Amino acid sequence: MSEDRRLRVLRAIVQDYVETSEPVGSKALLERHRLGVSAATVRNDMAALEEDGLIAAPHTSAGRVPTDAGYRLFVDRLSQLKPMTSAEQRAIAHFLEGAVDLDDVVDRTVRLLASLTRQVAVVQYPSLSRSSVRHVELVPIGGPRLLVVLITTTGRVEQRVVDVGTDLLSADGEDTLATLRAELNGAAAGRTLADASSELAALPERVDPGLREVVRAVVAALEDCLVEEREERLVLAGTANLARAGSDFVSSLGPVLEALEEHVVLLKLLGTVAEQGGTLAVRIGHENPYAGLQSTSMVSTGYGAGTDLVAGLGVVGPTRMDYPSAMASVRAVATYVSRILAD
Amino acid sequence: MSEDRRLRVLRAIVQDYVETSEPVGSKALLERHRLGVSAATVRNDMAALEEDGLIAAPHTSAGRVPTDAGYRLFVDRLSQLKPMTSAEQRAIAHFLEGAVDLDDVVDRTVRLLASLTRQVAVVQYPSLSRSSVRHVELVPIGGPRLLVVLITTTGRVEQRVVDVGTDLLSADGEDTLATLRAELNGAAAGRTLADASSELAALPERVDPGLREVVRAVVAALEDCLVEEREERLVLAGTANLARAGSDFVSSLGPVLEALEEHVVLLKLLGTVAEQGGTLAVRIGHENPYAGLQSTSMVSTGYGAGTDLVAGLGVVGPTRMDYPSAMASVRAVATYVSRILAD
DNA sequence: GATTGGCACTCGGACGGCGAGAGTGCCAGC
DNA sequence: GCTGGCACTCTCGCCGTCCGAGTGCCAATC
């Protein structure tokens, strides 16, 4: 019994099942694939595959359906990324290039991914701990109140209003502010978020005692911004695609939608991916540690400007998913959006 | 035949149907409500209500179900807001008061609303045309590049990087920058977004010809920010609640999810509400102009700091919805979040 | 004139039996 | 090791039946 052919049979089953969403039997398989053997042989192979836990029958005398393990084998060894047509590539590039700012890039990316794959798309905002502080700005906004603005290298901006107790403008005014600004930027600018955080913490001790309270207040606000900034955000699109999946899947839609609202969960999944470097990660069904997502698969990868991978993106859909094309789309979009961000 | 009793019957039908999600018959009504009359009388009343188009029978010999018109009458004349318990009020206040910034307020609000009503919650970012420019800031970020930051009274921040051609720091440096900053703020600060936009447009003509190109570039970036700022954003939560509705509703879930992703549509709906002042707006089923939402109802109202209503919030759910409690929750949350924003 | 009890009627949904068809497992032969 | 054949199993769809909820109507009653 040829091991090789058995795998070809598995591949054919996965392909057919993904396409028809119905259990596939030995006869149907022969009609759609030139396997060069008879139905009986295929049946023997299928029995063996079932023995190995790669496929399963919903009930006697229905066709077979791939198990999570079957999909896993398919993804690892039996499939190759479906190449993007040049038309698709142009469409991707064109769609992403119209973006005016970071929000727009993310927004367009997630929509693009959802419509390419017809799955739920997930895009993490590029703001990992790898980003660093570009600039700290202080703006007096009347009375003793100061607007503290933090700008990171990934282009994100956080701001806080701080009541510093004294009116810095009325007294020695702009000078104090300029000094303070210089001190803060000296401590934070160019450093990673974590480094900046610890540098800033030491700052109040090093300045003129008269300013100490002011600095303390400003630093506290900045710390707050830094934490917020490290707190990762993400954006979803295409949840409606879930409703178009097979009716079996729709019945368990509730938990999936709930899980998708748990951004923390999704961020964790994307996070581990981003760390692994530029490879495509695929999580299939029960490989997923979160209960609500165990009827789904997630295809994801990292993206970001330059060599630094700053965030992750991917798609979530039923385990019965067209992996080769989903993987290709995810990779292509990640590549393009990274290129856009490099500017 | 007492008109009054007929309406009591309608009210009972709506209440029962909302609770059980099954068509309600004359007998079931008698068991659950003390109407003081016999089943036959109720049947006569129901026939009349059906004649008036307020209820309908899915088929002969099933109970009756309210029509959109029936819900409308119920909402307008037969129900009163379910008062919030003081425990609920405390919970709302407590939950919202922990917020650290605007994003957090909106995030908490939408989650709160979703969990209170067990529906899909929709919250528009408070950034209508009524908001105005608080401050414009320029930050040199190396070479000929300048970071332009726009801060509005609603606390939102937009920023753009502009290449101004010349390196402002190396030449006459900070002075030019300070002048420019003053000019820009003179033109924009304190004005509404629309006013600021037109003031800024005239600015390049009024400055030193040598700076004209620089100003033009900066103003263009600011214009861009202003448009972006007027572009309204919104946030959703609780979409999983849709999956818990009756199975009849779940089958038409796709279009609803699609409609919910069309933020433009939701913004329009919320927008008309915000304009109408502080009243609660209820759109029931087909009263809704958008096809995807015609199996749903939307309860919404305006909110915002002070007397200015700057945005809308609300919930979307199946027409079979507990209107009194949804309306009460929406109103309560709007009130509290407005109070929070008043700071 | 409104209300009521009674009654015949209708229709949908549940139940059960039946047949068709798809698909399987196994076996003997090549 | 592959193949054709065959008996077997199980699901699904169909149909007829039955049951009950619920209605509409009518004559009697207050």
Side-chain angles (χ1 to χ4, degrees), chain B residues 132-133 150 187-201 223 226:
Chain B
S132 54
V133 175
L150 173 79
R191 294 205 160 79
T192 65
L193 300 188
D195 287 356
S197 194
S198 53
E199 286 292 325
L200 285 171
E223 290 285 356
L226 287 167

Side-chain angles (χ1 to χ4, degrees), chain A residues 1 5 37-38 40-41 43 59-61:
Chain A
M1 185 185 302
R5 191 193 54 231
V37 290
S38 76
T41 310
R43 280 203 289 280
H59 54 81
T60 339
S61 124

Side-chain angles (χ1 to χ4, degrees), chain A:
Chain A
M1 185 185 302
S2 145
E3 177 75 14
D4 183 51
R5 191 193 54 231
R6 237 161 61 186
L7 292 181
R8 281 211 311 278
V9 169
L10 173 59
R11 176 166 58 202
I13 291 175
V14 171
Q15 287 170 348
D16 278 19
Y17 182 58
V18 165
E19 191 168 330
T20 65
S21 54
E22 265 164 33
V24 11
S26 53
K27 203 165 133 199
L29 216 50
L30 285 182
E31 286 170 10
R32 301 171 47 99
H33 301 267
R34 303 186 170 270
L35 291 171
V37 290
S38 76
T41 310
V42 171
R43 280 203 289 280
N44 288 332
D45 289 344
M46 286 167 90
L49 288 169
E50 185 163 15
E51 184 76 15
D52 293 348
L54 297 170
I55 59 177
H59 54 81
T60 339
S61 124
R64 302 310 215 298
V65 161
T67 61
D68 289 353
Y71 284 123
R72 164 55 57 200
L73 186 58
F74 173 80
V75 166
D76 286 346
R77 299 183 42 201
L78 303 176
S79 67
Q80 45 196 26
L81 301 207
K82 193 174 291 177
M84 301 257 105
T85 67
S86 65
E88 283 171 321
Q89 297 194 3
R90 276 198 307 277
I92 295 175
H94 183 254
F95 189 68
L96 289 182
E97 270 159 15
V100 299
D101 65 1
L102 183 67
D103 282 342
D104 202 23
V105 169
V106 172
D107 188 57
R108 281 165 182 259
T109 303
V110 74
R111 286 169 191 266
L112 175 65
L113 203 48
S115 75
L116 279 177
T117 61
R118 318 209 88 195
Q119 308 285 358
V120 180
V122 184
V123 177
Q124 180 184 7
Y125 259 79
S127 64
L128 233 59
S129 47
R130 310 212 188 181
S131 75
S132 53
V133 176
R134 175 178 280 160
H135 188 81
V136 174
E137 183 57 39
L138 302 176
V139 184
I141 53 173
R145 305 210 301 175
L146 209 55
L147 185 73
V148 180
V149 181
L150 173 80
I151 299 151
T152 70
T153 48
T154 44
R156 302 234 317 140
V157 175
E158 292 283 338
Q159 89 285 357
R160 294 285 184 283
V161 174
V162 182
D163 192 328
V164 293
T166 63
D167 190 337
L168 291 174
L169 269 188
S170 66
D172 33 21
E174 185 67 25
D175 267 8
T176 312
L177 212 54
T179 317
L180 193 48
R181 196 181 285 134
E183 285 281 359
L184 290 169
N185 277 297
R191 294 207 160 78
T192 65
L193 300 188
D195 287 356
S197 194
S198 53
E199 286 292 325
L200 284 172
L203 200 57
E205 306 306 320
R206 297 215 312 269
V207 298
D208 185 296
L211 267 176
R212 193 156 295 160
E213 278 315 305
V214 174
V215 174
R216 217 186 290 277
V218 172
V219 165
L222 276 174
E223 290 285 356
D224 196 32
C225 291
L226 287 167
V227 170
E228 175 84 357
E229 188 63 13
R230 257 177 287 175
E231 190 180 282
E232 294 144 347
R233 290 174 52 200
L234 61 76
V235 181
L236 296 188
T239 45
N241 290 327
L242 290 176
R244 265 207 327 275
S247 60
D248 52 340
F249 186 77
V250 171
S251 64
S252 70
L253 228 170
V256 176
L257 282 172
E258 269 171 38
L260 289 178
E261 287 209 351
E262 285 301 322
H263 289 190
V264 183
V265 166
L266 294 176
L267 282 167
K268 259 192 193 145
L269 293 175
L270 284 178
T272 59
V273 165
E275 281 164 17
Q276 285 168 5
T279 57
L280 275 172
V282 182
R283 271 202 192 71
I284 297 168
H286 292 82
E287 296 172 12
N288 201 308
Y290 300 98
L293 295 177
Q294 294 199 340
S295 61
T296 68
S297 289
M298 178 171 186
V299 176
S300 57
T301 190
Y303 77 96
T307 53
D308 268 2
L309 288 168
V310 293
L313 59 76
V315 297
V316 176
T319 48
R320 172 166 55 65
M321 175 194 289
D322 182 349
Y323 292 95
S325 87
M327 290 166 77
S329 296
V330 166
R331 199 176 65 175
V333 170
T335 306
Y336 276 94
V337 70
S338 296
R339 198 173 300 167
I340 302 276
L341 284 179
D343 300 342

Side-chain angles (χ1 to χ4, degrees), chain B residues 65-322:
Chain B
V65 161
T67 62
D68 288 353
Y71 285 123
R72 167 54 58 197
L73 186 58
F74 174 80
V75 166
D76 287 346
R77 298 183 41 200
L78 303 176
S79 67
Q80 44 196 26
L81 301 206
K82 193 174 291 178
M84 301 257 104
T85 67
S86 64
E88 282 172 320
Q89 296 194 4
R90 276 197 308 276
I92 294 175
H94 183 255
F95 189 67
L96 289 182
E97 269 158 17
V100 299
D101 66 1
L102 183 68
D103 281 341
D104 202 24
V105 169
V106 172
D107 189 56
R108 281 165 182 257
T109 303
V110 75
R111 286 170 190 265
L112 175 65
L113 203 47
S115 76
L116 279 177
T117 61
R118 319 209 87 193
Q119 309 284 0
V120 180
V122 184
V123 177
Q124 180 183 7
Y125 259 77
S127 65
L128 232 59
S129 46
R130 310 212 187 183
S131 76
S132 54
V133 175
R134 175 178 279 161
H135 188 81
V136 174
E137 183 58 37
L138 301 176
V139 184
I141 53 173
R145 305 210 301 173
L146 209 56
L147 185 73
V148 181
V149 182
L150 173 79
I151 299 149
T152 70
T153 48
T154 44
R156 302 233 317 139
V157 174
E158 292 284 336
Q159 90 285 358
R160 294 285 184 285
V161 174
V162 182
D163 192 327
V164 293
T166 63
D167 190 336
L168 290 173
L169 270 187
S170 66
D172 32 21
E174 184 68 26
D175 267 8
T176 311
L177 210 55
T179 317
L180 194 48
R181 197 181 283 133
E183 286 281 358
L184 289 169
N185 278 296
R191 294 205 160 79
T192 65
L193 300 188
D195 287 356
S197 194
S198 53
E199 286 292 325
L200 285 171
L203 199 58
E205 305 307 319
R206 295 214 314 268
V207 298
D208 185 296
L211 267 175
R212 193 158 295 163
E213 278 315 305
V214 174
V215 174
R216 218 186 290 278
V218 172
V219 165
L222 276 173
E223 290 285 356
D224 197 31
C225 291
L226 287 167
V227 170
E228 176 84 355
E229 188 63 14
R230 258 177 286 174
E231 188 178 282
E232 294 145 345
R233 291 174 53 201
L234 60 76
V235 181
L236 296 188
T239 46
N241 291 328
L242 290 177
R244 266 208 328 277
S247 60
D248 53 340
F249 187 77
V250 171
S251 63
S252 70
L253 227 170
V256 176
L257 283 173
E258 271 172 35
L260 289 178
E261 288 207 352
E262 285 300 323
H263 288 191
V264 183
V265 167
L266 294 176
L267 282 168
K268 260 192 194 144
L269 293 175
L270 284 178
T272 60
V273 165
E275 282 164 16
Q276 285 168 5
T279 56
L280 274 172
V282 182
R283 270 202 193 70
I284 297 168
H286 291 82
E287 295 172 11
N288 202 307
Y290 300 98
L293 295 177
Q294 295 200 338
S295 60
T296 68
S297 290
M298 179 173 188
V299 176
S300 58
T301 191
Y303 77 97
T307 52
D308 268 1
L309 290 168
V310 293
L313 59 75
V315 298
V316 175
T319 47
R320 172 165 54 66
M321 175 194 286
D322 183 349

